[in-house]
Every structure is written in structure tokens, then in C-alpha cells.
């Protein structure tokens, strides 16, 4: 079945440093979604990428979808303490099922 | 909009007891999902419904787990009998249709089975 691999598993950065998490799928994806889960919270949708090579920005967050639509990345510029949490990528399987990556835990030292 | 509502938020029970988790999806969403999250296994899809009909329950761990959706505004996930390894956070999520597949998650139910 389809798998979504995400790296790194964990990253601890100094406030102000950049952060990147990568997502790779074993199959071509029709789209990819990114979610953020704050500690003790629930996953919250951030963005969806659909087109090959697509790049979208949300303030300090930059999302990319690979040309082959099998990989994606999330880059945060100049991290802040409010960025802490777990970032998940997710790709749709048949029907309406989403396959979630294992997530990248981000910790920010102030 | 109140978002996806789940109850209870926390549940502590003894092994062997029946546990019922409840979910109210966002009005107008015709897909409902039940997930389980643990440190070891991450976020796992247990079952999902479309228009109140179960579509895929392949993620349900075993016969001790069952889920129902009697109407568009209510779903339950039942564990009977519960076991310590069922301890996890259970999330309910809903979404609109097939193309708009952004999922909205509820706050979750933290289940502890002792």
C-alpha cells in the first residue's frame, strides 16, 4: 500500500533558525496536505498542494510539491516559539482516505 | 461553526469495561473519520463513513472495536472489552465531499485503560 515517509523525526532549533521537514511517497500523489499539531492539541490543516512543482507561502512557511508529485517539503524561516509542534504531511489514498506521515516534532529554544 | 465535537475529552476506565466515544461532525460534511494516535504507531485511520455508511473499516484493530453513524450528526466508536493497549488519543474528523478533502479534526478523547 501507499506509504508516506517523513524526515526528520525530531528537530530542536534555536529561535530564529530555519527548519525544514521532508515528505516522500512511494507512489504519485494527486495532492499533498500539511497539518500542524500543537502539543496536547489536534491536527490542524495548513495547506494543500495539487500541481507538480507547486510552491505556496504562508508568511514564514514555504511549502513545495515535487515535480514528480512524490515528495514535498515544508520550510519555516526564522522559527519562533509559536512554531513548536508536530508537522504532518498526508496524501490521499483511494476514496477519501488520507495516509499520514509519522510527523516531524519541532522544538524551539528561546 | 463549533467545529467537530468529541466527548468525553478524557476517559479513564478499567480493563474489561466498555468504552463509548462520541463525535458530532461539522454540519454539511458528508465524510467522517475515526483516528487513533499513539507514540508508537502515530496517527492511524480506524474507519471512515460517507453519508453515514461505513466505507472502509480495515483499520479497526479487532472485533472489540465497533463504530456506528446512525445519522449525519452523530457517530460513536465503541470498545468492548477495553484493554490497556487501547490507551491512546482518539480523534474524529470530518470533511466535505471527495475533492475538498481537507479534514477538520475534533479535540480528541484521551483514553486510559488501567
Amino acid at each position: 500500500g501507499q506509504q508516506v515517509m517523513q524526515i526528520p523525526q525530531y528537530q530542536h532549533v534555536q529561535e530564529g533558525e530555519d527548519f525544514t521537514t521532508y515528505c516522500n511517497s512511494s507512489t504519485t500523489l494527486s495532492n499533498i496536505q500539511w497539518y500542524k499539531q500543537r502539543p496536547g492539541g489536534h491536527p490542524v490543516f495548513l495547506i494543500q498542494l495539487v500541481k507538480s512543482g507547486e510552491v505556496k507561502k504562508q508568511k514564514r512557511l514555504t511549502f513545495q510539491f515535487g515535480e514528480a508529485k512524490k515528495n514535498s517539503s515544508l520550510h519555516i524561516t526564522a522559527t519562533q516559539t509559536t512554531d513548536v509542534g508536530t508537522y504532518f504531511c498526508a496524501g490521499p489514498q483511494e476514496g477519501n482516505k488520507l495516509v499520514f506521515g509519522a510527523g516531524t516534532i519541532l522544538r524551539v529554544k528561546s | 461553526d463549533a467545529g467537530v465535537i468529541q466527548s468525553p475529552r478524557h476517559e479513564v476506565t478499567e480493563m474489561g469495561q466498555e468504552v463509548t466515544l462520541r463525535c458530532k461532525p461539522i454540519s454539511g460534511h458528508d465524510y467522517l473519520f475515526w483516528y487513533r494516535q499513539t507514540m508508537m504507531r502515530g496517527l492511524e485511520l480506524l474507519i471512515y463513513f460517507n453519508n453515514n455508511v461505513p466505507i472502509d473499516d480495515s483499520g479497526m484493530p479487532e472485533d472489540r472495536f465497533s463504530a456506528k453513524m446512525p445519522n449525519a450528526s452523530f457517530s460513536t466508536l465503541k470498545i468492548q472489552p477495553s484493554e490497556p493497549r487501547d490507551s491512546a488519543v482518539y480523534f474524529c474528523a470530518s470533511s466535505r465531499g471527495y475533492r475538498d478533502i481537507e479534514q477538520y479534526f475534533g479535540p480528541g478523547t484521551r483514553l486510559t485503560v488501567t
Side-chain angles (χ1 to χ4, degrees):
Chain A
Q2 177 185 321
Q3 293 186 0
V4 177
M5 309 300 291
Q6 203 172 343
I7 57 169
Q9 182 179 0
Y10 180 85
Q11 189 151 10
H12 201 171
V13 301
Q14 189 72 37
E15 188 174 21
E17 292 182 340
D18 292 356
F19 159 79
T20 304
T21 174
Y22 300 90
C23 184
N24 290 286
S25 169
S26 56
T27 59
T28 301
L29 299 169
S30 59
N31 66 76
I32 194 158
Q33 299 180 20
W34 286 90
Y35 290 76
K36 176 184 178 181
Q37 184 177 19
R38 296 182 185 276
H42 58 278
V44 175
F45 175 82
L46 293 176
I47 206 161
Q48 177 174 283
L49 304 172
V50 179
K51 299 177 182 177
S52 169
E54 188 170 15
V55 178
K56 287 188 176 181
K57 292 191 175 184
Q58 290 181 349
K59 298 183 179 178
R60 295 178 294 104
L61 278 60
T62 301
F63 303 84
Q64 292 189 329
F65 201 10
E67 294 290 340
K69 301 182 75 172
K70 295 179 74 172
N71 58 74
S72 181
S73 65
L74 158 59
H75 179 82
I76 302 178
T77 303
T79 55
Q80 299 176 358
T81 55
T82 53
D83 295 326
V84 299
T86 303
Y87 292 85
F88 295 95
C89 62
Q93 267 193 341
E94 62 201 45
N96 215 15
K97 293 170 61 173
L98 276 184
V99 175
F100 281 81
T104 296
I105 299 171
L106 172 64
R107 292 291 177 259
V108 179
K109 291 184 292 186
S110 60
Chain B
D1 197 331
V4 176
I5 299 172
Q6 289 187 250
S7 63
R9 294 294 306 276
H10 302 273
E11 178 80 36
V12 180
T13 191
E14 292 184 346
M15 181 174 63
Q17 296 298 307
E18 177 180 297
V19 175
T20 300
L21 311 181
R22 297 172 176 79
C23 175
K24 176 180 169 55
I26 293 173
S27 177
H29 284 192
D30 52 6
Y31 283 83
L32 183 140
F33 307 82
W34 282 100
Y35 290 90
R36 179 173 67 176
Q37 186 175 43
T38 62
M39 289 295 294
M40 292 297 295
R41 302 176 66 89
L43 199 57
E44 303 175 275
L45 177 66
L46 301 177
I47 185 171
Y48 80 95
F49 295 82
N50 179 22
N51 291 324
N52 314 336
V53 177
I55 302 301
D56 187 335
D57 65 354
S58 59
M60 295 286 260
E62 48 198 273
D63 292 345
R64 296 185 298 107
F65 285 68
S66 63
K68 294 181 179 179
M69 192 166 185
N71 57 63
S73 58
F74 184 66
S75 178
T76 60
L77 178 66
K78 186 177 295 186
I79 308 173
Q80 166 63 20
S82 58
E83 296 182 3
R85 59 192 170 121
D86 300 330
S87 297
V89 180
Y90 290 82
F91 289 106
C92 175
S94 69
S95 69
R96 301 170 297 175
Y98 178 80
R99 294 300 175 191
D100 299 320
I101 56 171
E102 167 189 348
Q103 293 188 10
Y104 294 80
F105 283 74
T109 295
R110 182 172 295 277
L111 173 65
T112 303
V113 183
T114 61

